[in-house]
Amino acid sequence: MRAFTKIDALVAPLDRANVDTDAIIPKQFLKSIRRAGFGPFLFDEWRYLDHGEPDMDCTNRPINPDFVLNKPEYKGAELLLTRENFGCGSSREHAPWALEDFGFRAIIAPSFADIFYNNCFKNGILPIVLDAGIVDDLFNELTEGYRLTVDLETQKIVTPSGREIAFEVDANRKFRLLNGLDDIALTLQHADQIHAYETERAKRAPWLFG
Amino acid sequence: MSGKTLYDKLWEDHVVHTEDDGSSLIYIDRHLVHEVTSPQAFEGLRLAGRKPWRQARNLAVADHNVPTTDRDKGIADPVSRLQVETLEKNCAEFGITEFDMSDIRQGIVHVVGPEQGATLPGMTVVCGDSHTSTHGASGALAFGIGTSEVEHVLATQCLVQKKAKNMLIKVDGEVRPGVTAKDIVLAIIGKIGTAGGNGYTIEFAGSAIRALSMEGRMTVCNMAIEAGARAGLIGVDDVTIEYYRGRPLSPKGNDWFMAERMWQQLHSDPDAVFDKVVELNAADVKPQVTWGTSPELVVSVDASVPDPAQETDATKRESMKRALQYMDLKPGLAITDIKLDKVFIGSCTNSRIEDLRAAAVVAKGKKLADNIKLALVVPGSGLIKQQAEAEGLDKIFIEAGFEWRDPGCSMCLAMNADRLEPGERCASTSNRNFEGRQGYGGRTHLVSPAMAAAAAIAGHFVDVSTEANQGATA
């Protein structure tokens, strides 16, 4: 996994609440057995005017000029600013895969759906929860070329005017993301404890270990 | 010291290790696998040279991509076919039991788990699917995970998790005839919103929940995720224990007695403290119909489409406007005046035998309305299909003009050939009414099985709880 330390990123605003994972990456793209290549289909139904299918060449598809990510001023945005409950619905990890493949490194919202939030950390994306009032401020002051600095180590965002905004993140998730660590290898360091748990549990619930 | 909630008990029973920041390594008793969210996880194992920690704790079934007609001809779409074949290959390579398309036990993963006794009270259950919350109906801690976590469970039989907060949703009183588990849970989502349960595990309790069958309880817990909660729970009682008696994978002999004793403890202590409590009077719940593109955009069938102008919150107002535009509805239109094109009865929310019976009662001796182009009934598993046919339900549906299909997720998310065309409007017993969910440009109204069947017959929504329609729901 790609580590996340500090970024200075162009911000794209997606001013909608309850953006669901079906919208982030529609179901037909979930038929892929690969982990890469979802970026061109991110927000497919909002981004294009035709109906997308897996493995389609997107270069000549008709784009929706009104959709924010199609506007030239947001080209190359690495930070998505959005509203509450982002990533609700399906558990599909294809959603963070698509966001990451498109180029997003961090997402700011007043709240995230739990499964999506968790999935972001497995893919080098930092989801940042900020107070709804602060998110409002950021939407209001966003103009062309608006950038934010996000520093995971110090857990701070700096706005162009120099305002510093602190954010929370679990110590364990932060450590893994800062170092781009493989969760499975870390868990397997506890293999003896897992075996011990199984031995003890098998006495209480033998039907689970038959 | 105050007592423990059911969630507290299940959590504590599965902690292997806890870090300083409170994140814990949680042992997983049952891992369910389907074709959509697992290929990249198996590939990860292969690349790292890892093996499943305990093969026997995994159970796989293909459900999202499978066709619901002409199974003997295989899967027409080559991309879907490859995904289903990849699951078969991965299960064979890693030694995991799979119910393939020709197996009578095949079906929707969340229907198959309880039906087989593969998911049991007191277990931790995970699957790369958000509707894993369904299994919480049996007093199991069950939640959906992403593909990275699927790989993690395969490799370690554990997950790194942080404990959620406790929410109690208490539904007391008696529902009126024609009001079902689906209506109760939609009413709850309407009340707390799709983000209301974020960060919580929800326990559903109260006399109206107790009065539900296991099927109904699964419908309620299934949609906990639509209220934002990864896991929904219902405490164990006699209904739970009777349901699991004699299931193929239920404990046998002495183990059964041991399990029964253990399971009887699986409820919140009377003095348990919850971080949040929500109460609902079951008698106030009427049949529910969603009108928008989020499950929280729901009203009673006797109401009208709401007016965004009445909404004071600007973000919500914009969402409502966008939803009305997508759904092509005008504020003030009576819900019963909404005309449908298609009807879908199925999904992990409402495809169990009791759901099919409720729909069949309404459809019996009637015919589809002329404006209904297609009405699908898709049983949740091969065994449910068999049971329904033994009861003659298939004949009732077919005579009324419904199509009787083979089991799978089908038009809940339209990954197979069953879908809405752009602009089509559907009464659906599924769980999500998101834009494009049932097909590009399709419009979904979520309802109970009886409401869906009644809409198929009338061609528009009908209140199945009123006296005039009572015969239909007896």
Side-chain angles (χ1 to χ4, degrees), chain A residues 182 184 188, chain B residues 41-53 93-94 151 154-155:
Chain A
D182 173 356
I184 295 175
L188 288 174
Chain B
F42 283 113
E43 184 64 14
L45 286 190
R46 211 174 282 123
L47 290 172
R50 289 174 174 136
K51 295 260 172 280
W53 183 274
E93 181 183 339
F94 290 99
E151 185 181 341
L154 282 166

Side-chain angles (χ1 to χ4, degrees), chain B residues 17-55:
Chain B
H17 170 78
T18 301
E19 299 282 346
D20 292 341
D21 75 338
S23 53
S24 299
L25 202 56
I26 295 295
Y27 193 78
I28 302 303
D29 296 319
R30 173 62 72 189
H31 183 209
L32 300 169
V33 179
H34 66 76
E35 79 276 21
V36 179
T37 54
S38 65
Q40 297 87 351
F42 283 113
E43 184 64 14
L45 286 190
R46 211 174 282 123
L47 290 172
R50 289 174 174 136
K51 295 260 172 280
W53 183 274
R54 289 180 76 82
Q55 290 166 324

Side-chain angles (χ1 to χ4, degrees), chain B residues 99-149:
Chain B
F99 298 160
D100 68 27
M101 243 164 55
S102 62
D103 195 312
I104 185 80
R105 298 167 297 180
Q106 182 270 340
I108 306 171
V109 67
H110 306 308
V111 173
V112 170
E115 186 173 80
Q116 291 296 315
T119 57
L120 294 167
M123 276 184 169
T124 41
V125 178
V126 297
C127 175
D129 193 287
S130 61
H131 291 111
T132 309
S133 59
T134 311
H135 309 268
S138 66
L141 176 58
F143 53 91
I145 56 177
T147 298
S148 294
E149 290 183 314

Side-chain angles (χ1 to χ4, degrees), chain A residues 15-18 20-23 27-35 38 45-46 48-55 83-85 88-94 97 111-115 118-119 122-123 136 170-173 176 182-185 187-188 190-195 197-198 200-210, chain B residues 13-17 19 21 23 25 27 29 36-37 39-40 50 53-54 57 65 77 79-80 82-83 86 120 122-123 128-130 144-149 151-152 155-158 160-162 194-195 197-200 225-226 228 230 251 255 258-259 262-263 296 315 319 322 413-415 419 432 434-440:
Chain A
D15 196 358
R16 296 188 185 204
N18 296 318
D20 58 75
T21 54
D22 275 82
K27 85 299 256 28
Q28 63 270 32
F29 305 106
L30 274 53
K31 294 179 186 182
S32 169
I33 56 170
R34 292 175 299 139
R35 202 176 184 124
F38 294 100
E45 292 187 5
W46 293 345
Y48 302 100
L49 296 169
D50 63 346
H51 178 56
E53 284 296 336
D55 297 326
R83 298 289 183 178
E84 65 167 1
N85 201 29
C88 60
S90 152
S91 65
R92 60 189 68 168
E93 198 161 318
H94 311 67
W97 294 341
S111 63
F112 292 89
D114 292 343
I115 302 177
N118 205 38
N119 283 341
K122 314 289 183 197
N123 293 284
D136 258 342
D170 291 340
N172 193 24
R173 282 181 170 134
R176 288 168 192 236
D182 173 356
D183 277 1
I184 295 175
T187 295
L188 288 174
H190 298 285
D192 289 348
Q193 279 169 283
I194 303 172
H195 284 302
Y197 173 88
E198 287 180 322
E200 182 270 333
R201 185 89 190 288
K203 288 180 197 150
R204 289 186 290 128
W207 58 92
L208 297 177
F209 297 87
Chain B
D13 202 30
H14 290 87
V15 173
V16 173
H17 170 78
E19 299 282 346
D21 75 338
S23 53
L25 202 56
Y27 193 78
D29 296 319
V36 179
T37 54
Q40 297 87 351
R50 289 174 174 136
W53 183 274
R54 289 180 76 82
R57 301 323 297 163
N65 279 278
D77 175 357
V79 192
S80 288
L82 177 64
Q83 196 164 54
T86 301
L120 294 167
M123 276 184 169
D129 193 287
S130 61
I145 56 177
T147 298
S148 294
E149 290 183 314
E151 185 181 341
H152 195 281
T156 71
Q157 208 56 44
C158 290
V160 180
Q161 296 288 303
K162 205 147 190 196
T194 49
N198 281 1
Y200 289 94
I225 184 66
E226 274 20 279
R230 280 180 93 172
D255 280 355
M258 210 172 156
M262 182 187 272
W263 295 347
E296 71 182 15
T315 305
S319 300
R322 202 162 20 235
L413 87 169
M415 275 190 80
R419 65 187 62 171
R432 288 190 178 131
F434 299 154
E435 288 181 22
R437 172 80 179 182
Q438 292 194 289
Y440 180 67

Side-chain angles (χ1 to χ4, degrees), chain B residues 362-378:
Chain B
V362 176
K364 193 170 186 178
K366 309 264 176 48
K367 293 278 177 213
L368 292 187
D370 290 342
N371 56 311
I372 301 297
K373 296 183 223 170
L374 179 71
L376 293 184
V377 184
V378 184

Side-chain angles (χ1 to χ4, degrees), chain A residues 69-98:
Chain A
L69 296 184
N70 287 331
K71 301 197 174 180
E73 61 265 38
Y74 299 118
K75 195 173 159 53
E78 291 180 293
L79 212 169
L80 188 67
L81 176 66
T82 186
R83 298 289 183 178
E84 65 167 1
N85 201 29
F86 187 82
C88 60
S90 152
S91 65
R92 60 189 68 168
E93 198 161 318
H94 311 67
W97 294 341

